[in-house]
Amino acid sequence: MRLLLVEDERDLADTLASGLRREGYAVDVAYDGLSALTRLAAADADLVILDRDLPMLSGDAVCKTMRELQHPARILMLTAAGSLEDRVAGLDLGADDYLPKPFAYVELLARLRALARRTPRSPGIVLEAAGVRVDTVRRLAERDGRPLHLTPKELGVLETLLAARGGFVSVDELLAEIWPDSDERGRNVVKTAVHTLRGKLGAPDAIASAPGHGYRIEVGS
């Protein structure tokens, strides 16, 4: 999952970028609004963390320009002004979510995960990493050219992990994505599906796990 962090407080920006990279995000950083638009024009981004008070070009102007250009990235707007009027104004400009400063890092991560789930997937897309390939239209999966015979739930888990593009997907997120209306709400159902999926994928293990973070398929592995 590629993320652009736009924050003029350099210490904060660099600290956040380091933490987000450890979470599995591919992070680019811009320290002003004009640089943010330049970076967005040069490279794709799935998520944008956008400070509202920026030099050169305000966060409001960046957000408005992105929406006028129909840029598909989800926008999480940050601001030291946390009044209801400020939040409404930011959302009206086209932001997808709003987080007042100061904020807890764990809340930032949770909001990013929620936005990532809402990021639309292109129709007909083929997801691929670590030799694993999923055709999301034909609902076919393979690894290194070997067909994989997966159940719908296993295919859903695999597709969700690949769509995260190297980012971690938590057990709760997999439950919400793959078992949204099912009575199978126990966390063990996810662990069982991942265990079976690992067996079908074969060696080397393509799915990494970390306590408290969940699972991921590392891009480029």
Side-chain angles (χ1 to χ4, degrees):
M1 183 72 61
R2 182 162 292 280
L3 185 153
L4 175 63
L5 171 61
V6 191
E7 169 61 64
D8 65 318
E9 297 180 39
R10 289 180 176 257
D11 289 344
L12 174 59
D14 294 343
T15 298
L16 285 177
S18 295
L20 291 168
R21 289 181 182 119
R22 288 194 295 270
E23 295 295 326
Y25 292 97
V27 182
D28 293 322
V29 180
Y31 301 107
D32 63 77
L34 189 59
S35 297
L37 289 180
T38 300
R39 287 181 179 272
L40 287 168
D44 290 334
D46 303 297
L47 300 170
V48 177
I49 300 175
L50 180 63
D51 187 32
R52 196 170 183 188
D53 186 16
L54 294 170
M56 303 291 288
L57 195 66
S58 72
D60 287 1
V62 173
C63 183
K64 184 178 179 181
T65 300
M66 288 179 63
R67 293 311 178 223
E68 288 175 346
L69 296 175
Q70 298 184 342
H71 196 288
R74 299 294 186 182
I75 299 172
L76 173 60
M77 188 170 279
L78 306 178
T79 182
S83 70
L84 175 61
E85 291 78 9
D86 288 311
R87 294 196 298 272
V88 170
L91 294 170
D92 283 344
L93 285 167
D96 297 282
D97 200 358
Y98 202 96
L99 186 61
K101 295 178 177 178
F103 53 83
Y105 181 62
V106 291
E107 182 179 4
L108 174 69
L109 293 178
R111 288 177 181 266
L112 289 175
R113 290 193 296 266
L115 288 176
R117 291 196 298 270
R118 292 161 53 190
T119 301
R121 297 173 190 168
S122 301
I125 194 170
V126 172
L127 302 171
E128 189 168 9
V132 181
R133 186 176 187 274
V134 171
D135 185 322
T136 63
V137 171
R138 296 192 296 161
R139 311 298 293 162
L140 298 176
E142 61 182 41
R143 185 174 193 188
D144 298 326
R146 173 176 57 86
L148 300 172
H149 303 289
L150 307 179
T151 68
K153 298 296 189 186
E154 291 162 359
L155 185 61
V157 170
L158 183 59
E159 182 178 336
T160 301
L161 294 179
L162 288 171
R165 295 172 61 179
F168 279 103
V169 183
S170 72
V171 171
D172 289 338
E173 288 165 342
L174 286 170
L175 274 172
E177 182 78 16
I178 312 302
W179 291 268
D181 302 313
S182 173
D183 292 333
E184 302 171 288
R185 298 299 296 174
R187 296 168 67 87
N188 284 339
V189 71
V190 174
K191 296 178 181 179
T192 299
V194 172
H195 176 77
T196 305
L197 179 58
R198 277 174 160 155
K200 291 183 178 181
L201 288 172
D205 192 357
I207 301 176
S209 60
H213 295 281
Y215 304 98
R216 73 170 177 171
I217 296 177
E218 186 174 354
V219 175
S221 66

